[in-house]
Amino acid sequence: MSKRKICVVTGTRAEYGLFYPVMKKIQASDKLELQLIVSTMHLSEEFGSTYRQIEKDGFMIDEKIENLVAADTKSAIAKSTGLATVLLSDAFNRLQPDVVLLLGDRFETHAAATTAMLMNIPIAHIHGGEITEGAVDEQIRHSITKMSYLHFTSTEPYRQRIIQMGEDPSRVFTSGAPGIDNIIHLELLSKAELEEDLQWKFGKRSALFTYHPVTLDNGDIHDEIDQIFAALKKSNINILFTYANADDNGRVINQKIEAFCQTNPAKYKVVKSLGQLRYLSAMKYVDLLIGNTSSGIIEAASFHKPVVNIGDRQKGRLQSGNVIDCDLQTLQTTITHALSSEFQNKCKTIDNIYGNGHTSNIIVDILSNIKLSIIKKFIDMER
């Protein structure tokens, strides 16, 4: 029997890191064949040309989709989405996948879902049903859900939300978050190895900082970042920064991070893309995470690390008890509270609600054994 072709489409370093354990399981399967399309930030030198890391990890890239329009505006994101749709149609036509596997809520992910839907290719979606009220990601995520046929959710409440959206319960599975698999199964770097690799040392107190644009916020990003940096400087901690993603105003954030790190290179270090191994290793050794990224909400709990979550980007996402939400005005005092022995001890006792490291097994087992002929039959009937 021929293997079932599962086509993964990825556009960012963070998304690829979450995909990684699932892709490895597909690659090792005797029932599935992995097809891989990389796009957007992966192919941009500005964001670290992270397709090279994908190849270094042992994956063959079937298609490279160069769709990122180099401008820091909303119209550029719309154009990048349209270009991805055009190019992906050719890629899908050539690869003829049996299933397109997508994760999350990026604009290029939406383009991939739209293209696959219109080409009558079944879509399997990871991390649907989640709420992030401060970002356009929410509308994108729910839209992808309605275009998808199979759903793999990170928690049971998210499964119930997808069912409330009208999806068939027999096609919605609580799998957990694949990022937890990496924490359980990857052999992380030692602190000394990571410091040598980064050419930077953790301090007495250190933080990992990732901050993405709040896409539904029309505030002054320059003033916002300046306020954040003022609070970080007063907190007197060493900080490892990663780049923001390629959303509107992402480049503004990255330029300001670069300038800020130049003010004290011994305390502040920026890396365009840490990659999954270095990122998780850093998460293990810092004292807290600061920013507004989903990894603080989802993965950090597995390390029992405090998280200072700034603003509304992640508003509505379920938390495990290690997260403190704050605004710009309360950022400095929140960092102080997160570093207190009382809150540090609280974090040591929490369980991560997003899974226990078996997500990729669940997803690959379902992709391997579900009757695909029934999926295609239903797709034809529904349209």
Side-chain angles (χ1 to χ4, degrees), residues 2 10 84 89 120 125 154 217 233 254 321 350 371 378:
S2 60
T10 175
S89 65
N120 204 32
H125 184 217
S154 58
D217 184 1
K233 195 169 184 179
N254 295 335
I350 64 170
K371 292 184 178 179
F378 272 99

Side-chain angles (χ1 to χ4, degrees), residues 336-378:
T336 301
H337 178 52
L339 289 171
S340 68
S341 56
E342 177 186 2
F343 194 76
Q344 297 262 335
N345 288 333
K346 176 188 175 183
C347 291
K348 291 176 183 177
T349 66
I350 64 170
D351 293 319
N352 194 332
I353 63 173
Y354 286 96
N356 54 13
H358 300 296
T359 296
S360 54
N361 286 332
I362 294 170
I363 291 173
V364 170
D365 181 63
I366 291 168
L367 288 175
S368 299
N369 296 307
I370 197 165
K371 292 184 178 179
L372 200 56
S373 59
I374 294 177
I375 292 179
K376 289 189 173 181
K377 175 184 175 183
F378 272 99

Side-chain angles (χ1 to χ4, degrees), residues 243 253-263 270 272:
Y243 260 28
I253 296 173
N254 295 335
Q255 289 165 5
K256 282 188 165 288
I257 288 173
E258 291 280 2
F260 181 72
C261 289
Q262 287 300 313
T263 65
V270 57
K272 290 182 179 180

